[in-house]
DNA sequence: TAACTACACTTGCATATTGCAAGCGCCTTG
DNA sequence: CAAGGCGCTTGCAATATGCAAGTGTAGTTA
């Protein structure tokens, strides 16, 4: 695996973050959960980057082990499964948005509208709160269905 | 290689960031340059995570190709080499600090003092400026020696 | 000036991780 | 009770990594 799950990658904050987010698939799964409201295996699998199913299974259990996701039965269909972000994952949102601002600036063919970076710069807390509220709505709706 | 260097990993800001920082070694090299004032091959090699020399060479050229680092002769010894951060790399600092705040919160054995997260939260721009100024001092001193 | 050293990589090779395609067991649905 | 969807698991070839050793080029020393 992409090592760095736990042992001795603690201590230094950057190294700790690198141990989780320094893997493109974990990084993208975090995006899917925090920004794109994806909660199921199928949904993750359908992301345009094309993760393969063995890697997806591996990363989902890694993220669960790291306390980023919880694995729960799907309220809509008991045979199915949902992955929900924990508080630890939700708290990663500001860092994710910061990286998106940076990427928006340097990716020549970015699909992000300029308004995104502007609104984050003008009111970071408000932007974060907006995404958090959206996430909470999604999760509450899903859980109580 | 960890793929995702350029082709079709543009567009989505998260994917663009994942293509660069979604690799633990690139991530840690960025830390070494932005935070720990490292500028030489030897210095990178000496980081406690123990990158191997072929991977280091590979990532340095990747980061150079991505416009994050510039490769220049060492002013102190012409036969030696320095890697300097570009503006693109320097602009990644806010995102890096955000991730460190997150890591500091969730890594049970973090070595970062609580004051770090606090000062960033109280005055993010000031904290960023402080690290930028430090970097600029380092680079200016090195370049004019 | 010939040997020595430091530096920035390369190379070879064993091992680990990935990507792809197929398969499996468990519901649910018709 | 046959068919299909879902969440994985398995096998295998291709790729990337880690480790140790080697290479080429400048300076430095004797």
């Amino acid at each position: 695996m992409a090592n760095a799950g736990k042992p001795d990658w603690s201590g230094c904050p950057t190294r700790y973050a690198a141990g989780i987010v320094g893997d493109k698939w974990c990084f993208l799964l975090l995006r899917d959960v925090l920004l794109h409201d994806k909660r199921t295996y199928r949904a993750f699998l359908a992301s345009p980057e094309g993760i393969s199913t063995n890697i997806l299974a591996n990363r989902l259990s890694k993220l669960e082990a790291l306390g980023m996701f919880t694995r729960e039965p799907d309220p809509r269909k008991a045979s199915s499964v949902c992955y929900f972000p924990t508080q630890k994952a939700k708290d990663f949102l500001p860092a994710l948005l910061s990286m998106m601002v940076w990427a928006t600036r340097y990716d020549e063919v970015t699909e992000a509208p300029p308004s995104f970076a502007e609104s984050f710069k003008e009111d970071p807390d408000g932007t974060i709160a907006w995404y958090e509220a959206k996430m909470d709505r999604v999760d509450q709706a899903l859980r109580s269905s």
Side-chain angles (χ1 to χ4, degrees), chain A:
Chain A
M1 205 211 288
N3 111 337
K6 274 273 174 98
D8 69 16
W9 277 66
S10 305
C12 164
T14 313
R15 180 174 51 215
Y16 181 84
I20 299 176
V21 152
D23 170 272
K24 67 181 181 201
W25 295 122
C26 287
F27 196 102
L28 292 170
L29 287 174
L30 231 28
R31 170 202 64 180
D32 284 347
V33 162
L34 297 179
L35 263 30
H36 296 334
D37 305 337
K38 301 197 175 188
R39 295 293 182 271
T40 66
Y41 197 92
R42 289 276 142 185
F44 298 134
L45 213 51
S47 288
E49 291 81 16
I51 191 171
S52 44
T53 100
N54 53 345
I55 303 297
L56 175 55
N58 176 284
R59 296 305 195 274
L60 284 173
S61 63
K62 180 183 169 185
L63 288 168
E64 197 193 349
L66 286 166
M68 304 284 287
F69 288 0
T70 63
R71 187 182 182 280
E72 303 174 27
D74 190 327
R76 298 165 300 188
K77 195 163 36 149
S79 73
S80 196
V81 171
C82 280
Y83 291 89
F84 290 103
T86 62
Q87 192 59 46
K88 182 176 180 181
K90 291 179 189 176
D91 285 343
F92 190 74
L93 192 64
L96 183 61
L97 293 173
S98 276
M99 282 190 277
M100 289 169 68
V101 168
W102 173 81
T104 300
R105 181 176 196 154
Y106 286 103
D107 181 3
E108 293 158 6
V109 294
T110 188
E111 293 155 6
S115 60
F116 162 74
E118 281 163 27
S119 69
F120 184 79
K121 222 158 278 181
E122 269 175 41
D123 181 15
D125 292 343
T127 307
I128 293 164
W130 187 86
Y131 279 102
E132 275 179 349
K134 184 169 153 244
M135 245 192 301
D136 287 345
R137 277 200 306 279
V138 167
D139 288 342
Q140 207 168 32
L142 225 182
R143 283 199 162 104
S144 67
S145 59

